Amino acid sequence: VPRPSRITLAVCQYAPQVGELESNAALGSEWIGRAAAAGANLIVLPELAASGYVFASSEEAERSSQPAAGGPTLTRWIEACHRDGVWVVAGFAESTPRGRFNSAALLGPDGVVGVYRKAHLFFDEKSYFEPGEGGFPVFDLPLGRVGLLICYDVWFPEAARVLALAGADIVCIPTNWVANFRRQVLDERGWTMGNYACVAIATQNQVFVAAADRIGTERGIEFVGCSCIVGPDGWMLTGPAARSDEALLVADLDLGRAVAARQRTPRNHTLLDRRPAVYGSLSAISPAAQD
Amino acid sequence: VPRPSRITLAVCQYAPQVGELESNAALGSEWIGRAAAAGANLIVLPELAASGYVFASSEEAERSSQPAAGGPTLTRWIEACHRDGVWVVAGFAESTPRGRFNSAALLGPDGVVGVYRKAHLFFDEKSYFEPGEGGFPVFDLPLGRVGLLICYDVWFPEAARVLALAGADIVCIPTNWVANFRRQVLDERGWTMGNYACVAIATQNQVFVAAADRIGTERGIEFVGCSCIVGPDGWMLTGPAARSDEALLVADLDLGRAVAARQRTPRNHTLLDRRPAVYGSLSAISPAAQD
């Protein structure tokens, strides 16, 4: 099937509520409908959109989790995909026989396309989730090749690089960027550092980047909004959204631009210009000597 | 010797002239003196500051090259280091028995501390230079641990990552960022994409980043200025400088901030949180399947 060259992508910025699975499921379906009505065929919801983020206990995390296959929230969102003829990337707490993961599901009209389990856990996520061991898969959809990252992953350039080398055109990032622990949350033009990290992923890898952040505060943890969509030459296409308001960002993407951006000059191709022979083994270098 | 916690770093933005080795040497000495007078003890000059950039022939490139040990321009700049008690990072065309390299020298009061040979060659550099095979060394100076990159290297996140994992606190980047081949050179606030790449290196690796670009035009190739200094939490400290004007940017750096920035939360350390086991082998992945 030839891949369409243009798609319409949306990111949804809103506030799920921790532990409120039923209303979070309804909220997600509503945002999927709103984005589809705006013309989107690929829609990104925030990290842990099914469960909320700041758990108070392992019991609450467990109660808020579900399997990827047949989980109640994902089942409802798949129904929304079927209803609207769209694909959705959404964060959920995944329960598995091997433990809980902070996961992102790629959902389509016919069901779960795939799941990415967050590799880099942030702060108290280390109490509630296992780190993902499955690497960084790329999903070959009719509308393009989609890779997934989650939140803190964007500070690890290895992750996006693996996606780009596996052929991703679009990196979708459900996120819950946290304002706490930061000396400075926004700069004078309303960008948070996560926005710069998204630009980095785009310009270093010549991929589209779509980050859907949440807003609001849970148990003293504040989220920063600032959802955004970045083009494959690194320039911001739309956003950052505001820090505290709901937002629906929509952008028409010409996927051919991701390929074109890799041809930096007539004599340069940014992926083929890599020099793996002089990178040492980034997989083996020990950080033990670090401060 | 205990390392000082604070240093003063300067980047010098000006226009060397291709082939004019004598005047380029004088110009570099002058800028070193100017930066030292402003209080700097670590000073960065542009890429190929000794030779200029746009060669018309291999003969011109050869005439404009010099060995690292005893080369006439470097000898003069070492004299300036000795005169002013400073360290200097400067780009030069390096002649060696194994061919010419687009190199950056780290110079101090007592001579050449080390040389980095550019790993990623841009556009017509591929006609005049060999790609560096020596990897990405970090130099342990009395004033801090310094890594070097050159220009196009900043689009390859592997390079800066190797420097950070080897303990760099400061990444100095002589550059000749080119306006040609770009659909958009600057954004509405006067940033070029190289500035975003510098922010990326800083925020992904918690290092200070200092990029010294040149200005002017040589044989139809236009350079974009926009030199900058970025802090280890990713925020711009000073710059970007203007696109076409000479500029001296100076910043006081507290090197302890690079260490502190790695401790993202009480439970996170951005270098120790890496997950090499799931990165696959970034050194071995073939890009053959890419567009």
Side-chain angles (χ1 to χ4, degrees):
Chain A
V1 181
R3 185 174 294 122
S5 65
R6 287 172 185 278
I7 69 165
T8 301
L9 185 150
V11 299
C12 303
Q13 174 174 305
Y14 61 94
Q17 295 298 323
V18 64
E20 303 291 334
L21 266 70
E22 178 61 30
S23 61
N24 288 342
L27 200 54
S29 290
E30 183 184 314
W31 277 93
I32 293 168
R34 197 177 302 180
N41 43 16
L42 178 60
I43 299 162
V44 188
L45 308 185
E47 179 181 7
L48 294 178
S51 62
Y53 184 81
V54 186
F55 301 117
S57 67
S58 292
E59 292 66 31
E60 186 180 44
E62 187 58 28
R63 280 198 310 276
S64 305
S65 300
Q66 59 193 284
T73 309
L74 298 194
T75 298
R76 286 187 63 174
W77 291 348
I78 290 166
E79 289 166 5
C81 289
H82 189 80
R83 172 193 74 199
D84 296 326
V86 298
W87 278 262
V88 166
V89 175
F92 72 111
E94 182 185 10
S95 57
T96 85
R98 294 168 49 222
R100 269 190 310 277
F101 294 92
N102 180 341
S103 295
L106 176 57
L107 311 172
D110 299 323
V112 178
V113 177
V115 170
Y116 162 66
R117 294 171 177 169
K118 188 176 186 177
H120 304 95
L121 297 177
F122 183 78
F123 196 51
D124 284 351
E125 298 171 28
K126 295 182 177 188
S127 296
Y128 302 122
F129 298 110
E130 302 298 320
E133 302 290 352
F136 304 93
V138 172
F139 303 101
D140 202 346
L141 293 187
L143 51 67
R145 291 169 295 197
V146 176
L148 310 181
L149 297 176
I150 302 175
C151 196
Y152 188 45
D153 284 336
V154 302
W155 271 273
F156 299 84
E158 297 89 344
R161 194 55 134 188
V162 169
L163 291 175
L165 291 170
D169 295 319
I170 312 165
V171 175
C172 295
I173 309 176
T175 185
N176 281 189
W177 286 324
V178 164
N180 309 56
F181 315 112
R182 282 282 184 197
R183 294 157 52 108
Q184 181 179 356
V185 177
L186 302 182
D187 65 12
E188 73 291 349
R189 66 168 174 173
W191 287 41
T192 191
M193 193 45 62
N195 297 124
Y196 289 93
C198 288
V199 166
I201 288 171
T203 194
Q204 290 169 337
N205 298 289
Q206 302 79 50
V207 290
F208 290 93
V209 174
D213 195 13
R214 61 162 295 167
I215 54 174
T217 298
E218 285 182 350
R219 295 176 172 141
I221 297 291
E222 183 201 343
F223 305 97
V224 302
C226 291
S227 299
C228 66
I229 303 176
V230 186
D233 44 13
W235 300 110
M236 187 69 65
L237 295 177
T238 178
R243 178 174 180 167
S244 310
D245 301 330
E246 293 185 345
L248 175 69
L249 303 183
V250 182
D252 293 316
L253 311 187
D254 176 356
L255 296 188
R257 281 189 56 205
V259 176
R262 287 169 196 156
Q263 195 71 40
R264 255 298 238 121
T265 81
R267 302 184 70 179
N268 290 99
H269 182 293
T270 46
L271 291 180
L272 296 175
D273 282 345
R274 293 176 72 241
R275 300 283 321 285
V278 292
Y279 297 155
S281 175
L282 287 175
S283 299
I285 288 171
S286 166
Q290 298 308 310
D291 300 292
Chain B
V1 183
R3 186 173 292 122
S5 65
R6 289 173 183 278
I7 69 165
T8 301
L9 186 150
V11 300
C12 303
Q13 173 173 306
Y14 62 93
Q17 295 296 324
V18 65
E20 301 293 336
L21 266 69
E22 179 60 29
S23 60
N24 288 341
L27 200 53
S29 292
E30 183 184 315
W31 278 93
I32 292 167
R34 196 176 304 181
N41 43 15
L42 178 60
I43 299 163
V44 188
L45 306 186
E47 180 181 8
L48 294 177
S51 63
Y53 184 82
V54 185
F55 302 117
S57 67
S58 292
E59 291 67 29
E60 186 179 42
E62 188 58 28
R63 278 198 310 275
S64 305
S65 300
Q66 59 193 285
T73 310
L74 298 194
T75 297
R76 286 187 62 176
W77 292 348
I78 291 165
E79 289 165 5
C81 289
H82 188 80
R83 172 193 74 201
D84 296 326
V86 299
W87 279 261
V88 166
V89 175
F92 72 111
E94 182 185 10
S95 57
T96 85
R98 295 166 50 220
R100 266 191 311 277
F101 295 91
N102 180 341
S103 295
L106 176 57
L107 310 173
D110 298 323
V112 178
V113 177
V115 170
Y116 162 66
R117 294 172 176 169
K118 188 176 186 177
H120 304 95
L121 296 177
F122 184 77
F123 195 52
D124 283 351
E125 297 171 28
K126 294 182 178 187
S127 295
Y128 302 121
F129 298 108
E130 302 300 319
E133 302 288 353
F136 304 93
V138 173
F139 303 102
D140 203 346
L141 293 188
L143 52 65
R145 291 169 296 197
V146 175
L148 310 181
L149 297 177
I150 302 174
C151 198
Y152 188 44
D153 284 335
V154 301
W155 270 272
F156 299 85
E158 296 89 344
R161 193 56 134 187
V162 169
L163 291 176
L165 291 171
D169 295 319
I170 311 165
V171 175
C172 295
I173 310 176
T175 185
N176 281 188
W177 286 324
V178 164
N180 309 55
F181 315 112
R182 283 281 183 194
R183 295 155 51 108
Q184 180 179 356
V185 177
L186 301 183
D187 65 12
E188 73 289 350
R189 66 168 173 173
W191 286 41
T192 192
M193 193 46 62
N195 298 123
Y196 289 93
C198 288
V199 165
I201 288 170
T203 193
Q204 290 169 337
N205 298 290
Q206 300 80 52
V207 291
F208 289 93
V209 174
D213 196 12
R214 61 163 292 166
I215 54 174
T217 299
E218 284 181 353
R219 295 177 171 141
I221 297 290
E222 182 201 344
F223 306 97
V224 302
C226 291
S227 299
C228 64
I229 304 176
V230 187
D233 44 13
W235 300 111
M236 186 70 66
L237 295 178
T238 180
R243 179 174 180 167
S244 309
D245 301 330
E246 292 185 345
L248 174 69
L249 303 183
V250 181
D252 292 316
L253 311 187
D254 175 355
L255 296 188
R257 281 188 57 204
V259 176
R262 287 170 195 154
Q263 194 72 42
R264 259 291 243 123
T265 80
R267 302 185 67 179
N268 291 99
H269 182 293
T270 46
L271 292 179
L272 296 175
D273 281 345
R274 293 176 72 243
R275 299 283 322 284
V278 294
Y279 297 154
S281 176
L282 287 173
S283 298
I285 289 172
S286 166
Q290 299 306 311
D291 299 292

